[in-house]
Amino acid sequence: MIPQHICPVANFNKILGGKWKLIIINTLRNKGEIRFGKLAFFIPAISRKVLSAHLKELERDGLVIRTQHAEIPPRVEYALTEVSKNLCSASLLEILCCPWLNEEKKI
């Protein structure tokens, strides 16, 4: 196993790996600050349990801000931090979403 301090890809994969984290970040990038239910609506294939777990991990890693408003009923909104906005501005998500990746490959 390669130590994480030697391979930045391993650290990247630890923080943003998995099926849903980049999709969650991309949705927050496109929709801005958004409530949990709306986020679940925009990513219908993800279960609420998995979405909740990934949001907690992204918040712990400093990529998502969770804002709880003192209202009844309670209102919680999620948004990107400056760190994750900088990640988005690095064009990584644009590269991942480029038309070439969406074309059917004939190998």
Side-chain angles (χ1 to χ4, degrees), residues 99-107:
W100 175 81
L101 289 174
N102 296 321
E103 294 174 2
E104 186 175 334
K105 304 295 184 273
K106 295 179 182 176
I107 300 175

PDB file of all heavy atoms in Angstrom, residues 99-107:
ATOM      1  N   PRO A  99     -18.378  16.110 -23.035  1.00  0.00           N
ATOM      2  CA  PRO A  99     -19.150  15.266 -23.955  1.00  0.00           C
ATOM      3  C   PRO A  99     -18.431  13.971 -24.334  1.00  0.00           C
ATOM      4  O   PRO A  99     -19.077  12.955 -24.552  1.00  0.00           O
ATOM      5  CB  PRO A  99     -19.340  16.163 -25.181  1.00  0.00           C
ATOM      6  CG  PRO A  99     -19.172  17.553 -24.682  1.00  0.00           C
ATOM      7  CD  PRO A  99     -18.220  17.463 -23.529  1.00  0.00           C
ATOM      8  N   TRP A 100     -17.106  13.994 -24.377  1.00  0.00           N
ATOM      9  CA  TRP A 100     -16.357  12.801 -24.749  1.00  0.00           C
ATOM     10  C   TRP A 100     -16.670  11.638 -23.824  1.00  0.00           C
ATOM     11  O   TRP A 100     -16.800  10.497 -24.256  1.00  0.00           O
ATOM     12  CB  TRP A 100     -14.855  13.108 -24.713  1.00  0.00           C
ATOM     13  CG  TRP A 100     -14.001  11.917 -24.970  1.00  0.00           C
ATOM     14  CD1 TRP A 100     -13.678  11.373 -26.180  1.00  0.00           C
ATOM     15  CD2 TRP A 100     -13.371  11.096 -23.986  1.00  0.00           C
ATOM     16  NE1 TRP A 100     -12.888  10.276 -26.008  1.00  0.00           N
ATOM     17  CE2 TRP A 100     -12.679  10.073 -24.675  1.00  0.00           C
ATOM     18  CE3 TRP A 100     -13.317  11.102 -22.605  1.00  0.00           C
ATOM     19  CZ2 TRP A 100     -11.946   9.098 -24.017  1.00  0.00           C
ATOM     20  CZ3 TRP A 100     -12.590  10.129 -21.954  1.00  0.00           C
ATOM     21  CH2 TRP A 100     -11.911   9.143 -22.661  1.00  0.00           C
ATOM     22  N   LEU A 101     -16.837  11.908 -22.525  1.00  0.00           N
ATOM     23  CA  LEU A 101     -17.129  10.844 -21.574  1.00  0.00           C
ATOM     24  C   LEU A 101     -18.544  10.302 -21.723  1.00  0.00           C
ATOM     25  O   LEU A 101     -18.828   9.192 -21.304  1.00  0.00           O
ATOM     26  CB  LEU A 101     -16.922  11.339 -20.145  1.00  0.00           C
ATOM     27  CG  LEU A 101     -15.477  11.581 -19.738  1.00  0.00           C
ATOM     28  CD1 LEU A 101     -15.411  12.207 -18.363  1.00  0.00           C
ATOM     29  CD2 LEU A 101     -14.684  10.294 -19.768  1.00  0.00           C
ATOM     30  N   ASN A 102     -19.420  11.108 -22.298  1.00  0.00           N
ATOM     31  CA  ASN A 102     -20.808  10.689 -22.441  1.00  0.00           C
ATOM     32  C   ASN A 102     -21.076   9.948 -23.751  1.00  0.00           C
ATOM     33  O   ASN A 102     -22.151   9.427 -23.952  1.00  0.00           O
ATOM     34  CB  ASN A 102     -21.743  11.897 -22.315  1.00  0.00           C
ATOM     35  CG  ASN A 102     -21.675  12.519 -20.942  1.00  0.00           C
ATOM     36  OD1 ASN A 102     -21.583  11.799 -19.949  1.00  0.00           O
ATOM     37  ND2 ASN A 102     -21.692  13.816 -20.874  1.00  0.00           N
ATOM     38  N   GLU A 103     -20.091   9.946 -24.648  1.00  0.00           N
ATOM     39  CA  GLU A 103     -20.256   9.244 -25.910  1.00  0.00           C
ATOM     40  C   GLU A 103     -20.071   7.749 -25.697  1.00  0.00           C
ATOM     41  O   GLU A 103     -19.309   7.314 -24.837  1.00  0.00           O
ATOM     42  CB  GLU A 103     -19.222   9.727 -26.929  1.00  0.00           C
ATOM     43  CG  GLU A 103     -19.402  11.156 -27.347  1.00  0.00           C
ATOM     44  CD  GLU A 103     -18.271  11.647 -28.251  1.00  0.00           C
ATOM     45  OE1 GLU A 103     -17.367  10.845 -28.581  1.00  0.00           O
ATOM     46  OE2 GLU A 103     -18.294  12.831 -28.609  1.00  0.00           O
ATOM     47  N   GLU A 104     -20.756   6.970 -26.500  1.00  0.00           N
ATOM     48  CA  GLU A 104     -20.598   5.518 -26.415  1.00  0.00           C
ATOM     49  C   GLU A 104     -19.270   5.144 -27.077  1.00  0.00           C
ATOM     50  O   GLU A 104     -18.985   5.531 -28.209  1.00  0.00           O
ATOM     51  CB  GLU A 104     -21.741   4.809 -27.131  1.00  0.00           C
ATOM     52  CG  GLU A 104     -21.719   3.321 -26.949  1.00  0.00           C
ATOM     53  CD  GLU A 104     -22.937   2.663 -27.565  1.00  0.00           C
ATOM     54  OE1 GLU A 104     -23.974   3.315 -27.676  1.00  0.00           O
ATOM     55  OE2 GLU A 104     -22.808   1.483 -27.928  1.00  0.00           O
ATOM     56  N   LYS A 105     -18.445   4.429 -26.335  1.00  0.00           N
ATOM     57  CA  LYS A 105     -17.118   4.065 -26.831  1.00  0.00           C
ATOM     58  C   LYS A 105     -17.183   2.739 -27.581  1.00  0.00           C
ATOM     59  O   LYS A 105     -17.829   1.802 -27.131  1.00  0.00           O
ATOM     60  CB  LYS A 105     -16.127   3.921 -25.671  1.00  0.00           C
ATOM     61  CG  LYS A 105     -16.026   5.149 -24.793  1.00  0.00           C
ATOM     62  CD  LYS A 105     -15.454   6.326 -25.552  1.00  0.00           C
ATOM     63  CE  LYS A 105     -15.262   7.524 -24.684  1.00  0.00           C
ATOM     64  NZ  LYS A 105     -16.378   8.395 -24.533  1.00  0.00           N
ATOM     65  N   LYS A 106     -16.514   2.685 -28.726  1.00  0.00           N
ATOM     66  CA  LYS A 106     -16.400   1.455 -29.489  1.00  0.00           C
ATOM     67  C   LYS A 106     -14.953   1.018 -29.458  1.00  0.00           C
ATOM     68  O   LYS A 106     -14.080   1.675 -30.028  1.00  0.00           O
ATOM     69  CB  LYS A 106     -16.867   1.672 -30.928  1.00  0.00           C
ATOM     70  CG  LYS A 106     -18.326   2.009 -31.007  1.00  0.00           C
ATOM     71  CD  LYS A 106     -18.780   2.249 -32.412  1.00  0.00           C
ATOM     72  CE  LYS A 106     -20.247   2.638 -32.399  1.00  0.00           C
ATOM     73  NZ  LYS A 106     -20.749   2.968 -33.705  1.00  0.00           N
ATOM     74  N   ILE A 107     -14.706  -0.040 -28.722  1.00  0.00           N
ATOM     75  CA  ILE A 107     -13.325  -0.508 -28.544  1.00  0.00           C
ATOM     76  C   ILE A 107     -13.127  -1.793 -29.308  1.00  0.00           C
ATOM     77  O   ILE A 107     -13.930  -2.640 -29.399  1.00  0.00           O
ATOM     78  CB  ILE A 107     -13.015  -0.712 -27.049  1.00  0.00           C
ATOM     79  CG1 ILE A 107     -13.193   0.619 -26.332  1.00  0.00           C
ATOM     80  CG2 ILE A 107     -11.614  -1.243 -26.863  1.00  0.00           C
ATOM     81  CD1 ILE A 107     -13.038   0.530 -24.840  1.00  0.00           C
TER      82      ILE A 107
END
